[in-house]
Amino acid sequence: MTQNDSHSFEYWFIGLPASNDPKDEKAKDTKIKDPLGKNWEKVNEITKKLCENFHFPLPDLRVGTLDHLLTASVDLERLESVIESVASKISQALADVMELKMDQMEEFLNVNGVSLPEYLLKFRWDLSKYSMRQTLKGIEDQIEKQMVGLEMETKTLHCEYVAARTELASMERYEKGPLHTRNVSEFVKMEDFVLNSEHLITVLVVVSKTSYHDWYSSYEKLDNEVVPRSTNLLFEDCEYGLFNVTLFKRHLDNFREKAHEMKFYVKDFIFDRVRIQDERDRLTSLRQKKATLIGPLIRALRINFSETYMSYLHIKTMRVFVECALRYGLPVNFLGLIMVTPKKNIKKLRDVLFKEFAYLDGSLPKEEVREEKKVQPDQAAPSPDYFPYVCIKVNVEPQEFK
């Protein structure tokens, strides 16, 4: 079985007593170095056709009191949701910056260049980050503080980039749209206008190419204050031409109305060399800013996602440990493993595991579990979300984070 296509598989953190027999004192003796215990062989035997199993050594965390464990169980579940939210925000931000859909992001959202499924199978508790001397609460607080920082950094960097991109897109639309709405300053020169006149004004008119003849024959008649022979074709695209024409300022409204009746469009444009240059400089600056921001932003988001996913697996590990301690008691002698199962095998695997380990929560006596005739093959756990063994699903696809 291979996990090349993670979409077809589910990944579970599983926690069990190291011994298959809760009365096995040898298994509970922490002085006996048996890192796997009898249940490792048992699990591999009963699931060999349904999934792949990878041993995952659970860290020897500080247990504290029962109250500490109960509090940690609630807090860790909440913190897991926080981390998933941060991971989702980072992945969405990266997809937005790279202009890709979420189902195209697996290549870019990884841990130090390693895909999420591959990293999960090699994952081990990082003692350099999270010392065994810390309390559960201390580790939780450390991770939560890190998440707050990563979320804030992601939001700040992404917002700065989006603001620059949005302003640039707005200006570029103004630069590239149809002549009716686009910025035409690049197509005109100072000599195309009568400037600094008390009475005269030069306006720009957009005319359909099919109406050039109508324009030339009628523009002087649109108002009796139009300067004769004052029009020139300054620019044209595939559909329209841009003309200038000079008239007396006091007749501009009448000229605009008459032009509209002839389907000529008078643009609101005043030639201002300083303003035009400022707009060009702003456009250049925004293009440079976007180009400068995008590279470091992509790198930062990928690093932030990597850090978030590592924290996510540490929280998952803590949840397995805490649930094992609450269910199976002390001293700590738990078997941790990662199960990778094809989604088509999930129901059958659940049934097999339940049949073997139902006695752990007292839902069935161990003797009944052992006897085939007393347990139906399709017997299921009491609740779809609760199992007699500790089982926590792990996300290995960016789009799974919500």
Side-chain angles (χ1 to χ4, degrees):
M1 188 187 304
T2 62
Q3 298 88 45
N4 292 332
D5 182 8
S6 61
H7 300 281
S8 303
F9 293 83
E10 274 201 6
Y11 294 72
W12 302 341
F13 267 154
I14 299 291
L16 289 164
S19 168
N20 202 30
D21 186 349
K23 298 180 181 179
D24 186 352
E25 295 301 325
K26 179 180 177 181
K28 298 179 78 172
D29 186 353
T30 56
K31 295 181 180 180
I32 297 177
K33 303 301 181 182
D34 185 8
L36 300 182
K38 296 178 181 179
N39 272 338
W40 171 249
E41 294 180 3
K42 176 57 66 178
V43 168
N44 282 312
E45 178 186 338
I46 65 176
T47 66
K48 59 186 176 183
K49 295 182 179 180
L50 299 174
C51 65
E52 277 191 297
N53 301 317
F54 301 84
H55 177 240
F56 174 68
L58 291 172
D60 188 12
L61 300 172
R62 290 180 61 181
V63 175
T65 66
L66 177 60
D67 285 344
H68 290 151
L69 288 173
L70 291 171
T71 300
S73 178
V74 175
D75 289 346
L76 287 170
E77 192 168 358
R78 176 193 61 80
L79 186 51
E80 181 181 312
S81 297
V82 171
I83 295 175
E84 289 184 347
S85 175
V86 174
S88 176
K89 290 175 183 177
I90 295 172
S91 55
Q92 292 286 351
L94 186 58
D96 174 62
V97 172
M98 300 185 73
E99 299 181 0
L100 295 173
K101 296 180 179 179
M102 279 304 300
D103 58 8
Q104 300 172 299
M105 293 302 298
E106 290 182 33
E107 176 185 351
F108 307 101
L109 292 169
N110 51 53
V111 180
N112 300 326
V114 178
S115 70
L116 302 189
E118 184 180 355
Y119 179 77
L120 169 61
L121 298 183
K122 296 178 180 179
F123 173 73
R124 293 294 182 269
W125 185 271
D126 190 345
L127 289 170
S128 64
K129 280 188 175 180
Y130 310 110
S131 169
M132 296 295 97
R133 293 191 297 271
Q134 290 193 81
T135 63
L136 295 174
K137 179 63 174 173
I139 298 174
E140 292 169 26
D141 290 344
Q142 180 182 345
I143 292 177
E144 185 159 21
K145 183 178 179 180
Q146 180 191 26
M147 289 303 104
V148 170
L150 290 177
E151 182 175 16
M152 183 62 67
E153 180 184 21
T154 296
K155 182 177 180 180
T156 301
L157 293 174
H158 186 227
C159 286
E160 182 182 9
Y161 173 79
V162 168
R165 182 184 64 184
T166 301
E167 186 177 356
L168 176 60
S170 178
M171 291 192 70
E172 287 183 334
R173 282 195 298 271
Y174 188 43
E175 295 288 320
K176 298 177 182 178
L179 280 176
H180 295 81
T181 58
R182 74 183 293 179
N183 181 7
V184 295
S185 60
E186 62 181 301
F187 310 131
V188 298
K189 302 183 292 293
M190 186 169 62
E191 51 265 33
D192 297 326
F193 296 82
V194 173
L195 301 174
N196 303 317
S197 171
E198 183 179 353
H199 302 291
L200 296 177
I201 184 173
T202 299
V203 296
L204 300 179
V205 183
V206 177
V207 179
S208 170
K209 281 188 172 181
T210 59
S211 301
Y212 280 7
H213 176 74
D214 293 339
W215 170 254
Y216 283 119
S217 63
S218 65
Y219 80 91
E220 293 181 358
K221 302 173 185 176
L222 294 177
D223 188 271
N224 57 9
E225 297 289 343
V226 174
V227 176
R229 296 183 297 281
S230 62
T231 193
N232 294 284
L233 177 62
L234 306 180
F235 174 80
E236 61 181 352
D237 59 19
C238 58
E239 295 184 77
Y240 298 95
L242 182 69
F243 291 83
N244 64 347
V245 64
T246 302
L247 64 150
F248 280 83
K249 292 179 181 179
R250 64 177 181 269
H251 283 247
L252 176 58
D253 290 341
N254 182 64
F255 177 85
R256 189 191 303 273
E257 182 179 343
K258 297 295 184 182
H260 179 73
E261 292 175 2
M262 295 288 293
K263 301 189 184 306
F264 306 142
Y265 177 76
V266 180
K267 289 185 67 69
D268 293 320
F269 181 87
I270 297 175
F271 187 86
D272 183 334
R273 186 161 49 186
V274 174
R275 180 181 59 81
I276 290 172
Q277 188 58 50
D278 287 345
E279 288 178 353
R280 290 173 180 170
D281 291 345
R282 180 59 180 165
L283 186 60
T284 299
S285 175
L286 285 171
R287 285 172 176 160
Q288 291 175 343
K289 183 176 183 180
K290 181 184 176 185
T292 301
L293 288 174
I294 191 168
L297 175 57
I298 289 175
R299 286 192 294 274
L301 291 176
R302 294 185 69 177
I303 291 171
N304 287 358
F305 183 85
S306 177
E307 291 291 326
T308 301
Y309 194 76
M310 287 189 280
S311 296
Y312 170 74
L313 292 189
H314 281 85
I315 289 297
K316 289 284 190 181
T317 302
M318 292 175 71
R319 286 193 63 196
V320 173
F321 176 87
V322 168
E323 292 304 318
C324 283
L326 285 170
R327 293 192 192 195
Y328 312 136
L330 301 177
V332 172
N333 191 28
F334 309 136
L335 169 66
L337 59 131
I338 299 169
M339 280 188 175
V340 185
T341 179
K343 292 182 178 179
K344 64 181 181 180
N345 291 348
I346 289 177
K347 184 180 184 304
K348 190 171 183 180
L349 178 60
R350 291 291 191 199
D351 292 342
V352 168
L353 291 173
F354 177 70
K355 177 181 172 181
E356 180 64 32
F357 297 110
Y359 72 92
L360 288 174
D361 67 354
S363 59
L364 281 177
K366 186 175 179 182
E367 295 74 25
E368 289 189 14
V369 177
R370 291 299 191 187
E371 296 179 25
E372 292 286 339
K373 62 182 181 180
K374 293 187 179 181
V375 179
Q376 299 300 321
D378 61 349
Q379 187 172 7
S383 165
D385 300 319
Y386 178 82
F387 312 101
Y389 48 92
V390 174
C391 178
I392 298 178
K393 183 177 179 292
V394 182
N395 295 335
V396 294
E397 299 173 27
Q399 57 267 36
E400 291 181 324
F401 292 101
K402 303 298 183 183

Short mmCIF file of all heavy atoms in Angstrom, two decimals, residues 347-378:
data_model
loop_
_atom_site.label_atom_id
_atom_site.label_comp_id
_atom_site.label_asym_id
_atom_site.label_seq_id
_atom_site.Cartn_x
_atom_site.Cartn_y
_atom_site.Cartn_z
N LYS A 347 -14.78 1.75 7.30
CA LYS A 347 -15.83 1.08 8.09
C LYS A 347 -15.35 -0.30 8.57
O LYS A 347 -15.52 -0.65 9.74
CB LYS A 347 -17.11 0.93 7.27
CG LYS A 347 -18.25 0.32 8.08
CD LYS A 347 -19.51 0.18 7.25
CE LYS A 347 -20.65 -0.35 8.12
NZ LYS A 347 -20.33 -1.62 8.78
N LYS A 348 -14.75 -1.07 7.68
CA LYS A 348 -14.29 -2.40 8.06
C LYS A 348 -13.19 -2.31 9.11
O LYS A 348 -13.16 -3.09 10.08
CB LYS A 348 -13.78 -3.14 6.83
CG LYS A 348 -13.52 -4.61 7.08
CD LYS A 348 -13.23 -5.35 5.80
CE LYS A 348 -13.03 -6.84 6.07
NZ LYS A 348 -12.74 -7.59 4.81
N LEU A 349 -12.29 -1.33 8.98
CA LEU A 349 -11.22 -1.16 9.96
C LEU A 349 -11.79 -0.77 11.31
O LEU A 349 -11.34 -1.28 12.35
CB LEU A 349 -10.24 -0.09 9.46
CG LEU A 349 -9.07 0.25 10.39
CD1 LEU A 349 -8.22 -0.99 10.65
CD2 LEU A 349 -8.22 1.37 9.80
N ARG A 350 -12.77 0.11 11.32
CA ARG A 350 -13.42 0.49 12.58
C ARG A 350 -14.02 -0.75 13.28
O ARG A 350 -13.89 -0.93 14.49
CB ARG A 350 -14.52 1.51 12.32
CG ARG A 350 -14.04 2.89 11.89
CD ARG A 350 -13.33 3.61 12.99
NE ARG A 350 -13.12 5.02 12.67
CZ ARG A 350 -12.22 5.77 13.27
NH1 ARG A 350 -11.44 5.26 14.22
NH2 ARG A 350 -12.07 7.04 12.94
N ASP A 351 -14.67 -1.58 12.48
CA ASP A 351 -15.31 -2.76 13.05
C ASP A 351 -14.27 -3.70 13.67
O ASP A 351 -14.47 -4.24 14.77
CB ASP A 351 -16.10 -3.50 11.97
CG ASP A 351 -17.32 -2.72 11.50
OD1 ASP A 351 -17.73 -1.79 12.23
OD2 ASP A 351 -17.84 -3.02 10.41
N VAL A 352 -13.15 -3.90 12.96
CA VAL A 352 -12.10 -4.79 13.44
C VAL A 352 -11.49 -4.25 14.74
O VAL A 352 -11.29 -5.00 15.71
CB VAL A 352 -11.01 -4.97 12.36
CG1 VAL A 352 -9.76 -5.64 12.94
CG2 VAL A 352 -11.55 -5.79 11.19
N LEU A 353 -11.20 -2.95 14.77
CA LEU A 353 -10.60 -2.35 15.96
C LEU A 353 -11.58 -2.37 17.14
O LEU A 353 -11.18 -2.61 18.29
CB LEU A 353 -10.16 -0.92 15.66
CG LEU A 353 -8.98 -0.77 14.69
CD1 LEU A 353 -8.75 0.70 14.35
CD2 LEU A 353 -7.70 -1.37 15.29
N PHE A 354 -12.83 -2.11 16.85
CA PHE A 354 -13.82 -2.12 17.92
C PHE A 354 -13.97 -3.53 18.51
O PHE A 354 -14.04 -3.72 19.73
CB PHE A 354 -15.17 -1.63 17.41
CG PHE A 354 -16.25 -1.69 18.45
CD1 PHE A 354 -16.25 -0.84 19.54
CD2 PHE A 354 -17.27 -2.63 18.34
CE1 PHE A 354 -17.22 -0.91 20.51
CE2 PHE A 354 -18.27 -2.69 19.32
CZ PHE A 354 -18.25 -1.84 20.39
N LYS A 355 -13.99 -4.50 17.63
CA LYS A 355 -14.11 -5.88 18.08
C LYS A 355 -12.95 -6.27 19.00
O LYS A 355 -13.14 -6.97 20.01
CB LYS A 355 -14.15 -6.79 16.85
CG LYS A 355 -14.21 -8.27 17.16
CD LYS A 355 -14.23 -9.04 15.85
CE LYS A 355 -14.09 -10.54 16.12
NZ LYS A 355 -14.09 -11.32 14.86
N GLU A 356 -11.75 -5.80 18.68
CA GLU A 356 -10.57 -6.16 19.46
C GLU A 356 -10.47 -5.37 20.76
O GLU A 356 -10.04 -5.90 21.80
CB GLU A 356 -9.31 -5.93 18.63
CG GLU A 356 -8.01 -6.27 19.33
CD GLU A 356 -7.90 -7.76 19.68
OE1 GLU A 356 -8.45 -8.59 18.92
OE2 GLU A 356 -7.29 -8.07 20.73
N PHE A 357 -10.88 -4.09 20.75
CA PHE A 357 -10.59 -3.22 21.89
C PHE A 357 -11.84 -2.67 22.60
O PHE A 357 -11.72 -1.76 23.42
CB PHE A 357 -9.71 -2.05 21.44
CG PHE A 357 -8.37 -2.49 20.91
CD1 PHE A 357 -8.07 -2.39 19.56
CD2 PHE A 357 -7.42 -3.03 21.77
CE1 PHE A 357 -6.83 -2.79 19.07
CE2 PHE A 357 -6.19 -3.45 21.29
CZ PHE A 357 -5.89 -3.34 19.93
N ALA A 358 -13.00 -3.23 22.31
CA ALA A 358 -14.23 -2.73 22.96
C ALA A 358 -14.14 -2.82 24.47
O ALA A 358 -14.71 -1.99 25.18
CB ALA A 358 -15.44 -3.50 22.44
N TYR A 359 -13.43 -3.82 24.99
CA TYR A 359 -13.35 -4.01 26.44
C TYR A 359 -12.66 -2.85 27.15
O TYR A 359 -12.83 -2.66 28.35
CB TYR A 359 -12.58 -5.30 26.75
CG TYR A 359 -11.10 -5.22 26.49
CD1 TYR A 359 -10.22 -4.83 27.49
CD2 TYR A 359 -10.58 -5.49 25.23
CE1 TYR A 359 -8.86 -4.73 27.26
CE2 TYR A 359 -9.23 -5.39 24.97
CZ TYR A 359 -8.36 -5.02 25.99
OH TYR A 359 -7.03 -4.91 25.74
N LEU A 360 -11.90 -2.02 26.40
CA LEU A 360 -11.13 -0.96 27.05
C LEU A 360 -12.01 0.09 27.72
O LEU A 360 -11.61 0.70 28.71
CB LEU A 360 -10.21 -0.27 26.03
CG LEU A 360 -9.00 -1.08 25.54
CD1 LEU A 360 -8.26 -0.34 24.44
CD2 LEU A 360 -8.06 -1.38 26.71
N ASP A 361 -13.20 0.32 27.17
CA ASP A 361 -14.08 1.30 27.82
C ASP A 361 -15.25 0.65 28.54
O ASP A 361 -16.19 1.32 28.96
CB ASP A 361 -14.59 2.33 26.81
CG ASP A 361 -15.54 1.72 25.78
OD1 ASP A 361 -15.71 0.48 25.79
OD2 ASP A 361 -16.11 2.48 24.99
N GLY A 362 -15.20 -0.69 28.63
CA GLY A 362 -16.23 -1.39 29.37
C GLY A 362 -17.52 -1.59 28.62
O GLY A 362 -18.51 -2.05 29.18
N SER A 363 -17.55 -1.25 27.31
CA SER A 363 -18.79 -1.41 26.56
C SER A 363 -19.10 -2.88 26.30
O SER A 363 -20.24 -3.27 26.11
CB SER A 363 -18.71 -0.65 25.23
OG SER A 363 -17.63 -1.13 24.44
N LEU A 364 -18.04 -3.73 26.30
CA LEU A 364 -18.22 -5.17 26.19
C LEU A 364 -17.19 -5.86 27.08
O LEU A 364 -16.04 -5.41 27.13
CB LEU A 364 -18.04 -5.65 24.74
CG LEU A 364 -19.19 -5.46 23.76
CD1 LEU A 364 -18.75 -5.95 22.40
CD2 LEU A 364 -20.44 -6.19 24.21
N PRO A 365 -17.55 -6.94 27.74
CA PRO A 365 -16.54 -7.70 28.46
C PRO A 365 -15.52 -8.26 27.48
O PRO A 365 -15.86 -8.59 26.35
CB PRO A 365 -17.35 -8.83 29.13
CG PRO A 365 -18.76 -8.36 29.11
CD PRO A 365 -18.91 -7.49 27.92
N LYS A 366 -14.29 -8.37 27.94
CA LYS A 366 -13.24 -8.85 27.06
C LYS A 366 -13.55 -10.25 26.54
O LYS A 366 -13.26 -10.59 25.39
CB LYS A 366 -11.90 -8.84 27.80
CG LYS A 366 -10.72 -9.20 26.90
CD LYS A 366 -9.43 -9.07 27.65
CE LYS A 366 -8.26 -9.46 26.76
NZ LYS A 366 -6.99 -9.38 27.47
N GLU A 367 -14.18 -11.10 27.37
CA GLU A 367 -14.46 -12.46 26.94
C GLU A 367 -15.39 -12.47 25.74
O GLU A 367 -15.24 -13.25 24.81
CB GLU A 367 -15.09 -13.25 28.10
CG GLU A 367 -14.16 -13.46 29.30
CD GLU A 367 -13.97 -12.17 30.10
OE1 GLU A 367 -14.87 -11.31 30.03
OE2 GLU A 367 -12.94 -12.04 30.78
N GLU A 368 -16.38 -11.57 25.75
CA GLU A 368 -17.32 -11.52 24.64
C GLU A 368 -16.64 -11.04 23.38
O GLU A 368 -16.93 -11.48 22.29
CB GLU A 368 -18.51 -10.60 24.97
CG GLU A 368 -19.44 -11.18 26.01
CD GLU A 368 -20.70 -10.34 26.15
OE1 GLU A 368 -20.93 -9.50 25.25
OE2 GLU A 368 -21.44 -10.54 27.12
N VAL A 369 -15.72 -10.08 23.52
CA VAL A 369 -15.01 -9.56 22.37
C VAL A 369 -14.21 -10.66 21.70
O VAL A 369 -14.09 -10.73 20.49
CB VAL A 369 -14.08 -8.41 22.79
CG1 VAL A 369 -13.28 -7.91 21.61
CG2 VAL A 369 -14.91 -7.28 23.37
N ARG A 370 -13.64 -11.55 22.52
CA ARG A 370 -12.76 -12.58 22.01
C ARG A 370 -13.52 -13.67 21.26
O ARG A 370 -12.96 -14.36 20.42
CB ARG A 370 -11.98 -13.23 23.16
CG ARG A 370 -10.96 -12.32 23.80
CD ARG A 370 -9.93 -11.89 22.83
NE ARG A 370 -8.82 -11.22 23.50
CZ ARG A 370 -7.84 -10.64 22.85
NH1 ARG A 370 -7.81 -10.63 21.55
NH2 ARG A 370 -6.87 -10.05 23.53
N GLU A 371 -14.78 -13.86 21.60
CA GLU A 371 -15.52 -14.98 21.02
C GLU A 371 -16.28 -14.52 19.79
O GLU A 371 -17.17 -13.70 19.86
CB GLU A 371 -16.50 -15.54 22.06
CG GLU A 371 -15.78 -16.14 23.27
CD GLU A 371 -16.76 -16.66 24.28
OE1 GLU A 371 -17.90 -16.99 23.88
OE2 GLU A 371 -16.42 -16.73 25.47
N GLU A 372 -15.92 -15.07 18.63
CA GLU A 372 -16.52 -14.66 17.37
C GLU A 372 -18.04 -14.80 17.39
O GLU A 372 -18.75 -13.98 16.85
CB GLU A 372 -15.95 -15.52 16.23
CG GLU A 372 -14.49 -15.27 15.94
CD GLU A 372 -14.29 -13.95 15.22
OE1 GLU A 372 -15.26 -13.46 14.62
OE2 GLU A 372 -13.18 -13.42 15.26
N LYS A 373 -18.52 -15.84 18.01
CA LYS A 373 -19.96 -16.11 17.96
C LYS A 373 -20.77 -15.07 18.72
O LYS A 373 -21.97 -14.93 18.50
CB LYS A 373 -20.26 -17.50 18.53
CG LYS A 373 -19.88 -17.66 20.00
CD LYS A 373 -20.17 -19.06 20.48
CE LYS A 373 -19.81 -19.21 21.95
NZ LYS A 373 -20.09 -20.59 22.43
N LYS A 374 -20.13 -14.34 19.63
CA LYS A 374 -20.87 -13.36 20.43
C LYS A 374 -20.75 -11.95 19.89
O LYS A 374 -21.35 -11.04 20.41
CB LYS A 374 -20.38 -13.39 21.88
CG LYS A 374 -20.73 -14.69 22.58
CD LYS A 374 -20.38 -14.60 24.05
CE LYS A 374 -20.75 -15.90 24.76
NZ LYS A 374 -20.46 -15.83 26.19
N VAL A 375 -19.93 -11.71 18.88
CA VAL A 375 -19.76 -10.38 18.31
C VAL A 375 -20.03 -10.46 16.82
O VAL A 375 -19.36 -11.18 16.09
CB VAL A 375 -18.33 -9.85 18.55
CG1 VAL A 375 -18.19 -8.47 17.93
CG2 VAL A 375 -18.05 -9.80 20.03
N GLN A 376 -21.02 -9.73 16.36
CA GLN A 376 -21.35 -9.73 14.95
C GLN A 376 -20.27 -8.98 14.16
O GLN A 376 -19.74 -7.98 14.62
CB GLN A 376 -22.71 -9.07 14.73
CG GLN A 376 -23.85 -9.79 15.43
CD GLN A 376 -24.00 -11.23 14.96
OE1 GLN A 376 -23.85 -11.49 13.77
NE2 GLN A 376 -24.25 -12.15 15.88
N PRO A 377 -19.96 -9.43 12.93
CA PRO A 377 -18.90 -8.78 12.14
C PRO A 377 -19.17 -7.31 11.88
O PRO A 377 -18.25 -6.51 11.75
CB PRO A 377 -18.91 -9.59 10.84
CG PRO A 377 -19.52 -10.91 11.20
CD PRO A 377 -20.51 -10.62 12.27
N ASP A 378 -20.45 -6.95 11.78
CA ASP A 378 -20.75 -5.55 11.46
C ASP A 378 -21.06 -4.72 12.70
O ASP A 378 -21.59 -3.62 12.61
CB ASP A 378 -21.92 -5.46 10.48
CG ASP A 378 -23.19 -6.08 11.07
OD1 ASP A 378 -23.10 -6.74 12.12
OD2 ASP A 378 -24.26 -5.90 10.46
#
